[in-house]
Amino acid sequence: MKILFVTNMFPTQDDSLWRGKFVKEQLNSIIEQSPETLVDLLHIKGKISGGSYFNYIKAIFTFIKLQKKNHYDLVHIHHFLCLFVTIFSPAIRVYTVHEGEVSKKSIRSLLIKMAIYFCDATIIVNHSLFKKTKKSKSLFLPCGINTSQFRYLDKLACLKAINAPANKFIILFPASPDRPEKNADLLRQAIAKISGVDIHILWGGSIPPEKMHLYINASDVVVNIGNYESDGLTVKEAISCQTPIISTRVGNAEIYIKHRANGSLINIADINSLAQEIRYWSGPHQQDSITKKQNSNHYDIDIKKNTESLLKFYRDILNDK
Protein backbone atom coordinates (compact mmCIF):
# COMPACT_ATOMS: atom_id res chain seq x y z
CA MET A 1 0.00 0.00 0.00
CA LYS A 2 1.02 3.56 -0.71
CA ILE A 3 -0.59 6.12 1.58
CA LEU A 4 -0.33 9.89 1.87
CA PHE A 5 -1.35 11.67 5.07
CA VAL A 6 -2.62 15.20 4.37
CA THR A 7 -3.04 17.32 7.48
CA ASN A 8 -2.80 20.83 8.89
CA MET A 9 -2.24 19.37 12.37
CA PHE A 10 1.22 18.00 13.08
CA PRO A 11 3.31 18.86 16.15
CA THR A 12 6.36 20.98 15.42
CA GLN A 13 8.71 23.06 17.54
CA ASP A 14 7.35 26.32 16.13
CA ASP A 15 3.74 25.45 17.01
CA SER A 16 3.68 26.01 20.76
CA LEU A 17 0.29 24.26 21.13
CA TRP A 18 1.61 20.96 19.73
CA ARG A 19 -1.52 20.35 17.65
CA GLY A 20 -2.05 17.01 15.99
CA LYS A 21 0.13 14.71 18.07
CA PHE A 22 -2.47 11.98 17.48
CA VAL A 23 -1.83 12.29 13.72
CA LYS A 24 1.91 11.92 14.22
CA GLU A 25 1.48 8.93 16.53
CA GLN A 26 -0.86 7.24 14.06
CA LEU A 27 1.56 7.78 11.19
CA ASN A 28 4.52 6.48 13.20
CA SER A 29 2.51 3.48 14.36
CA ILE A 30 1.68 2.51 10.76
CA ILE A 31 5.36 2.72 9.84
CA GLU A 32 6.28 0.57 12.84
CA GLN A 33 3.56 -2.07 12.44
CA SER A 34 3.46 -2.24 8.63
CA PRO A 35 7.00 -1.56 7.32
CA GLU A 36 5.98 -2.73 3.84
CA THR A 37 3.52 0.18 3.61
CA LEU A 38 4.77 3.46 2.16
CA VAL A 39 3.46 6.36 4.25
CA ASP A 40 4.25 9.94 3.26
CA LEU A 41 3.18 13.21 4.88
CA LEU A 42 1.93 16.47 3.40
CA HIS A 43 1.80 18.94 6.30
CA ILE A 44 0.05 22.21 5.49
CA LYS A 45 0.92 25.02 7.85
CA GLY A 46 -2.40 26.78 8.17
CA LYS A 47 -3.22 30.06 9.86
CA ILE A 48 -3.95 28.44 13.22
CA SER A 49 -0.35 27.12 13.33
CA GLY A 50 1.30 30.39 12.35
CA GLY A 51 1.02 29.99 8.58
CA SER A 52 -1.63 31.32 6.21
CA TYR A 53 -4.65 30.23 4.18
CA PHE A 54 -2.51 30.75 1.06
CA ASN A 55 -0.56 27.64 2.08
CA TYR A 56 -3.62 25.53 1.21
CA ILE A 57 -3.46 26.81 -2.38
CA LYS A 58 0.26 26.05 -2.60
CA ALA A 59 -0.40 22.61 -1.14
CA ILE A 60 -2.64 21.72 -4.11
CA PHE A 61 0.38 21.89 -6.43
CA THR A 62 2.58 20.01 -3.94
CA PHE A 63 -0.07 17.32 -3.71
CA ILE A 64 -0.30 16.96 -7.50
CA LYS A 65 3.49 16.51 -7.73
CA LEU A 66 3.54 13.92 -4.92
CA GLN A 67 0.64 11.98 -6.43
CA LYS A 68 2.23 11.97 -9.87
CA LYS A 69 5.56 10.77 -8.44
CA ASN A 70 4.33 8.10 -6.02
CA HIS A 71 0.91 6.99 -7.35
CA TYR A 72 -0.71 6.67 -3.92
CA ASP A 73 -3.42 4.08 -3.45
CA LEU A 74 -5.04 6.02 -0.66
CA VAL A 75 -4.99 9.58 0.67
CA HIS A 76 -5.83 9.96 4.36
CA ILE A 77 -7.12 13.44 5.19
CA HIS A 78 -7.09 14.77 8.76
CA HIS A 79 -8.97 18.06 8.45
CA PHE A 80 -11.91 19.15 6.31
CA LEU A 81 -9.87 21.90 4.60
CA CYS A 82 -7.34 19.30 3.47
CA LEU A 83 -10.00 17.50 1.46
CA PHE A 84 -10.24 20.46 -0.89
CA VAL A 85 -6.44 20.38 -1.35
CA THR A 86 -6.84 16.84 -2.71
CA ILE A 87 -9.72 17.65 -5.06
CA PHE A 88 -7.77 16.35 -8.09
CA SER A 89 -6.82 13.07 -6.44
CA PRO A 90 -7.27 9.86 -8.44
CA ALA A 91 -6.61 7.91 -5.23
CA ILE A 92 -9.23 6.84 -2.71
CA ARG A 93 -9.74 9.55 -0.11
CA VAL A 94 -10.37 8.70 3.54
CA TYR A 95 -11.34 11.53 5.88
CA THR A 96 -10.94 11.26 9.65
CA VAL A 97 -13.44 13.60 11.28
CA HIS A 98 -11.44 15.02 14.19
CA GLU A 99 -13.50 18.20 14.40
CA GLY A 100 -15.90 18.50 17.31
CA GLU A 101 -18.22 21.17 15.93
CA VAL A 102 -20.21 19.13 13.40
CA SER A 103 -23.52 19.59 15.21
CA LYS A 104 -23.22 23.38 15.29
CA LYS A 105 -25.08 25.57 12.82
CA SER A 106 -22.15 27.33 11.19
CA ILE A 107 -20.25 27.61 7.92
CA ARG A 108 -17.50 25.47 9.44
CA SER A 109 -19.98 22.72 10.27
CA LEU A 110 -21.37 22.88 6.73
CA LEU A 111 -17.87 22.49 5.25
CA ILE A 112 -17.19 19.48 7.49
CA LYS A 113 -20.40 17.85 6.28
CA MET A 114 -19.40 18.59 2.67
CA ALA A 115 -16.04 16.93 3.27
CA ILE A 116 -17.78 13.85 4.68
CA TYR A 117 -20.04 13.73 1.62
CA PHE A 118 -17.29 14.10 -1.01
CA CYS A 119 -14.73 11.70 0.47
CA ASP A 120 -14.81 7.98 -0.37
CA ALA A 121 -14.79 6.78 3.24
CA THR A 122 -14.86 8.26 6.71
CA ILE A 123 -13.24 7.46 10.01
CA ILE A 124 -15.25 9.01 12.83
CA VAL A 125 -13.80 9.44 16.30
CA ASN A 126 -17.03 10.65 17.94
CA HIS A 127 -19.54 7.92 18.78
CA SER A 128 -22.64 10.14 18.59
CA LEU A 129 -21.68 11.36 15.12
CA PHE A 130 -20.89 7.82 13.99
CA LYS A 131 -24.38 6.65 14.97
CA LYS A 132 -25.85 9.43 12.78
CA THR A 133 -23.70 8.91 9.70
CA LYS A 134 -25.30 7.53 6.57
CA LYS A 135 -22.06 6.87 4.71
CA SER A 136 -21.69 3.17 3.89
CA LYS A 137 -17.89 3.08 4.24
CA SER A 138 -17.45 4.39 7.77
CA LEU A 139 -15.49 3.27 10.80
CA PHE A 140 -15.80 4.34 14.42
CA LEU A 141 -12.18 4.62 15.52
CA PRO A 142 -11.26 6.99 18.37
CA CYS A 143 -7.63 8.07 18.46
CA GLY A 144 -5.36 5.59 20.21
CA ILE A 145 -2.76 6.54 22.79
CA ASN A 146 0.66 5.18 23.61
CA THR A 147 -0.14 3.17 26.74
CA SER A 148 3.53 2.36 27.28
CA GLN A 149 4.02 6.11 27.82
CA PHE A 150 0.71 6.96 29.46
CA ARG A 151 0.70 4.60 32.44
CA TYR A 152 0.76 4.87 36.21
CA LEU A 153 4.02 6.35 37.56
CA ASP A 154 5.12 7.32 41.04
CA LYS A 155 3.65 10.75 41.81
CA LEU A 156 6.55 12.08 43.90
CA ALA A 157 9.06 11.15 41.22
CA CYS A 158 6.96 12.95 38.61
CA LEU A 159 6.57 16.04 40.81
CA LYS A 160 10.33 16.17 41.12
CA ALA A 161 10.82 15.65 37.38
CA ILE A 162 8.66 18.66 36.49
CA ASN A 163 9.77 20.75 39.48
CA ALA A 164 6.27 21.07 40.99
CA PRO A 165 5.48 21.49 44.72
CA ALA A 166 4.84 18.28 46.64
CA ASN A 167 2.76 19.81 49.44
CA LYS A 168 -0.10 21.25 47.38
CA PHE A 169 -3.20 19.93 45.61
CA ILE A 170 -2.10 19.83 41.97
CA ILE A 171 -4.57 20.56 39.19
CA LEU A 172 -3.47 20.05 35.59
CA PHE A 173 -5.22 22.15 32.95
CA PRO A 174 -3.57 20.55 29.90
CA ALA A 175 -4.89 22.94 27.25
CA SER A 176 -3.59 26.42 26.62
CA PRO A 177 -5.39 28.91 28.90
CA ASP A 178 -5.30 31.33 25.94
CA ARG A 179 -7.82 29.23 24.01
CA PRO A 180 -11.23 30.63 25.06
CA GLU A 181 -13.13 27.47 24.11
CA LYS A 182 -11.15 25.53 26.76
CA ASN A 183 -12.64 27.70 29.56
CA ALA A 184 -9.62 28.42 31.76
CA ASP A 185 -11.54 31.34 33.30
CA LEU A 186 -14.21 28.94 34.55
CA LEU A 187 -11.54 26.99 36.40
CA ARG A 188 -10.26 30.18 38.00
CA GLN A 189 -13.81 31.10 39.07
CA ALA A 190 -14.43 27.63 40.49
CA ILE A 191 -11.20 27.71 42.51
CA ALA A 192 -12.26 31.08 43.97
CA LYS A 193 -15.24 29.26 45.51
CA ILE A 194 -13.03 26.68 47.26
CA SER A 195 -11.54 27.27 50.69
CA GLY A 196 -9.27 25.09 52.79
CA VAL A 197 -7.47 23.50 49.83
CA ASP A 198 -3.99 24.71 48.88
CA ILE A 199 -4.21 24.51 45.09
CA HIS A 200 -1.45 24.76 42.51
CA ILE A 201 -2.36 24.81 38.81
CA LEU A 202 -0.18 23.42 36.06
CA TRP A 203 -1.16 25.25 32.87
CA GLY A 204 -0.82 23.57 29.49
CA GLY A 205 -0.19 25.05 26.10
CA SER A 206 3.58 24.63 26.06
CA ILE A 207 4.04 21.20 27.64
CA PRO A 208 5.99 19.02 25.17
CA PRO A 209 4.04 15.86 24.21
CA GLU A 210 6.88 13.64 25.40
CA LYS A 211 6.49 15.07 28.94
CA MET A 212 2.70 15.20 29.24
CA HIS A 213 2.55 11.82 31.02
CA LEU A 214 4.80 13.23 33.76
CA TYR A 215 2.45 16.17 34.30
CA ILE A 216 -0.61 13.91 34.41
CA ASN A 217 0.99 11.55 36.93
CA ALA A 218 2.19 14.47 39.05
CA SER A 219 -1.35 15.83 39.31
CA ASP A 220 -4.11 15.09 41.78
CA VAL A 221 -6.76 15.81 39.17
CA VAL A 222 -6.86 16.79 35.50
CA VAL A 223 -9.41 19.38 34.37
CA ASN A 224 -10.68 19.19 30.79
CA ILE A 225 -13.70 21.51 30.50
CA GLY A 226 -13.83 22.63 26.87
CA ASN A 227 -17.01 23.51 25.00
CA TYR A 228 -16.53 20.72 22.48
CA GLU A 229 -14.35 17.73 21.65
CA SER A 230 -14.58 15.12 18.95
CA ASP A 231 -13.14 12.31 21.07
CA GLY A 232 -11.21 13.28 24.18
CA LEU A 233 -7.54 12.35 23.98
CA THR A 234 -6.73 13.97 27.33
CA VAL A 235 -9.47 11.96 29.02
CA LYS A 236 -7.96 8.69 27.82
CA GLU A 237 -4.43 9.73 28.75
CA ALA A 238 -5.51 10.61 32.30
CA ILE A 239 -7.46 7.37 32.71
CA SER A 240 -4.52 5.35 31.43
CA CYS A 241 -2.28 7.10 34.00
CA GLN A 242 -4.97 6.44 36.66
CA THR A 243 -5.26 10.13 37.49
CA PRO A 244 -8.86 11.33 38.02
CA ILE A 245 -10.18 13.73 35.39
CA ILE A 246 -13.00 16.25 35.54
CA SER A 247 -14.51 16.68 32.09
CA THR A 248 -17.46 18.36 30.46
CA ARG A 249 -19.93 16.03 28.75
CA VAL A 250 -18.37 16.47 25.33
CA GLY A 251 -16.85 14.10 22.79
CA ASN A 252 -16.72 10.54 24.10
CA ALA A 253 -16.22 11.55 27.73
CA GLU A 254 -19.35 9.73 28.87
CA ILE A 255 -18.04 6.51 27.33
CA TYR A 256 -14.69 6.66 29.14
CA ILE A 257 -15.53 8.26 32.49
CA LYS A 258 -17.39 6.52 35.30
CA HIS A 259 -18.54 9.37 37.51
CA ARG A 260 -16.54 9.54 40.74
CA ALA A 261 -14.80 6.24 39.97
CA ASN A 262 -12.09 7.40 37.56
CA GLY A 263 -13.22 11.00 37.17
CA SER A 264 -16.20 13.35 37.12
CA LEU A 265 -18.63 14.53 34.46
CA ILE A 266 -20.05 18.05 34.53
CA ASN A 267 -22.12 20.20 32.21
CA ILE A 268 -20.54 22.97 30.14
CA ALA A 269 -20.01 26.23 32.08
CA ASP A 270 -21.24 24.71 35.36
CA ILE A 271 -18.89 26.48 37.77
CA ASN A 272 -20.59 25.20 40.93
CA SER A 273 -20.32 21.56 39.86
CA LEU A 274 -16.69 22.08 38.86
CA ALA A 275 -15.90 23.47 42.32
CA GLN A 276 -17.81 20.60 43.92
CA GLU A 277 -15.88 17.94 42.01
CA ILE A 278 -12.53 19.57 42.76
CA ARG A 279 -13.46 19.45 46.45
CA TYR A 280 -14.46 15.80 46.07
CA TRP A 281 -11.14 14.75 44.55
CA SER A 282 -9.19 16.76 47.13
CA GLY A 283 -10.80 14.71 49.90
CA PRO A 284 -8.94 12.14 52.02
CA HIS A 285 -10.50 9.21 50.13
CA GLN A 286 -8.75 10.09 46.88
CA GLN A 287 -5.43 8.35 47.46
CA ASP A 288 -7.13 5.09 48.48
CA SER A 289 -9.30 5.25 45.36
CA ILE A 290 -6.30 5.73 43.08
CA THR A 291 -4.37 2.93 44.80
CA LYS A 292 -7.23 0.49 44.16
CA LYS A 293 -7.25 1.40 40.48
CA GLN A 294 -3.61 0.71 39.81
CA ASN A 295 -3.10 -1.83 37.04
CA SER A 296 -6.85 -1.91 36.32
CA ASN A 297 -7.10 -0.18 32.95
CA HIS A 298 -10.01 -1.77 31.06
CA TYR A 299 -10.00 0.57 28.08
CA ASP A 300 -9.14 -0.60 24.59
CA ILE A 301 -7.38 2.62 23.65
CA ASP A 302 -3.87 1.44 22.79
CA ILE A 303 -2.38 2.93 19.62
CA LYS A 304 -1.22 -0.49 18.37
CA LYS A 305 -4.73 -1.98 18.45
CA ASN A 306 -6.01 1.23 16.90
CA THR A 307 -3.54 0.90 14.02
CA GLU A 308 -4.50 -2.74 13.42
CA SER A 309 -8.11 -1.63 12.92
CA LEU A 310 -7.03 1.24 10.68
CA LEU A 311 -4.89 -0.95 8.42
CA LYS A 312 -7.74 -3.45 8.08
CA PHE A 313 -10.08 -0.61 7.09
CA TYR A 314 -7.57 0.55 4.45
CA ARG A 315 -7.34 -2.96 2.98
CA ASP A 316 -11.11 -3.47 2.96
CA ILE A 317 -11.60 -0.18 1.09
CA LEU A 318 -8.94 -1.02 -1.50
CA ASN A 319 -10.37 -4.52 -1.98
CA ASP A 320 -13.80 -3.02 -2.69
CA LYS A 321 -12.36 -0.60 -5.24
Side-chain angles (χ1 to χ4, degrees):
M1 270 190 300
K2 295 181 180 180
I3 300 167
L4 176 67
F5 270 38
V6 183
T7 180
N8 60 3
M9 305 177 289
F10 205 81
T12 58
Q13 290 291 340
D14 56 350
D15 181 0
S16 63
L17 298 182
W18 301 97
R19 292 180 180 87
K21 68 174 182 176
F22 42 84
V23 178
K24 181 178 181 180
E25 288 172 354
Q26 189 174 85
L27 186 148
N28 289 341
S29 185
I30 292 173
I31 293 170
E32 179 183 339
Q33 291 183 238
S34 183
E36 72 280 5
T37 299
L38 171 69
V39 189
D40 288 337
L41 171 71
L42 173 54
H43 176 210
I44 305 161
K45 191 172 182 180
K47 187 174 181 180
I48 197 170
S49 299
S52 71
Y53 289 122
F54 181 67
N55 287 339
Y56 290 99
I57 298 173
K58 292 195 295 183
I60 294 173
F61 300 99
T62 304
F63 172 77
I64 292 171
K65 289 179 182 178
L66 286 170
Q67 178 65 49
K68 186 176 180 180
K69 177 183 177 182
N70 295 309
H71 304 286
Y72 298 108
D73 302 303
L74 189 146
V75 176
H76 192 160
I77 297 146
H78 288 272
H79 192 276
F80 71 92
L81 289 174
C82 299
L83 186 97
F84 302 104
V85 169
T86 66
I87 194 168
F88 299 112
S89 173
I92 290 173
R93 293 184 296 174
V94 177
Y95 168 38
T96 291
V97 188
H98 293 291
E99 296 84 2
E101 313 98 313
V102 182
S103 61
K104 290 187 171 185
K105 292 182 179 180
S106 64
I107 294 176
R108 181 182 175 90
S109 175
L110 178 63
L111 289 172
I112 294 169
K113 291 173 183 176
M114 285 177 60
I116 293 172
Y117 178 81
F118 284 111
C119 70
D120 298 294
T122 55
I123 295 172
I124 300 176
V125 303
N126 180 272
H127 192 254
S128 296
L129 178 61
F130 177 73
K131 289 193 295 184
K132 296 175 184 175
T133 188
K134 297 178 181 178
K135 205 165 191 73
S136 58
K137 294 180 181 179
S138 294
L139 175 68
F140 173 57
L141 189 67
C143 298
I145 65 169
N146 184 351
T147 52
S148 63
Q149 176 188 6
F150 290 95
R151 57 188 174 85
Y152 176 83
L153 297 173
D154 179 71
K155 181 184 177 182
L156 290 176
C158 291
L159 285 167
K160 185 176 181 180
I162 66 170
N163 196 28
N167 59 344
K168 294 180 183 289
F169 182 76
I170 306 292
I171 295 176
L172 173 62
F173 188 88
S176 168
D178 297 327
R179 295 176 64 183
E181 75 276 11
K182 297 300 183 180
N183 295 323
D185 284 343
L186 296 183
L187 175 58
R188 295 185 182 102
Q189 293 173 48
I191 289 173
K193 292 176 174 287
I194 300 171
S195 60
V197 182
D198 193 1
I199 294 173
H200 179 80
I201 304 177
L202 300 172
W203 296 106
S206 59
I207 301 172
E210 65 271 14
K211 292 186 178 180
M212 182 58 78
H213 65 296
L214 299 175
Y215 282 78
I216 292 175
N217 274 290
S219 302
D220 294 292
V221 69
V222 178
V223 173
N224 185 67
I225 51 171
N227 292 334
Y228 50 82
E229 293 278 357
S230 53
D231 177 22
L233 202 65
T234 298
V235 172
K236 290 182 285 189
E237 290 170 348
I239 289 171
S240 192
C241 291
Q242 297 163 24
T243 300
I245 180 161
I246 302 172
S247 174
T248 42
R249 300 176 188 274
V250 294
N252 295 324
E254 291 181 271
I255 295 176
Y256 305 128
I257 296 175
K258 292 180 173 61
H259 189 66
R260 291 194 172 180
N262 58 3
S264 300
L265 291 161
I266 64 171
N267 294 324
I268 295 172
D270 189 343
I271 297 171
N272 290 331
S273 290
L274 177 56
Q276 181 180 354
E277 295 310 312
I278 291 172
R279 287 192 202 98
Y280 176 83
W281 289 107
S282 67
H285 65 86
Q286 185 221 16
Q287 200 59 46
D288 292 337
S289 174
I290 297 303
T291 301
K292 290 176 183 177
K293 287 189 294 171
Q294 289 180 20
N295 303 317
S296 62
N297 184 9
H298 300 296
Y299 297 84
D300 186 8
I301 54 179
D302 184 72
I303 185 67
K304 292 183 179 179
K305 293 180 180 179
N306 178 282
T307 302
E308 289 172 6
S309 298
L310 177 62
L311 288 169
K312 183 180 183 301
F313 189 58
Y314 286 163
R315 295 187 189 101
D316 289 345
I317 294 169
L318 292 172
N319 288 338
D320 290 342
K321 187 177 177 181

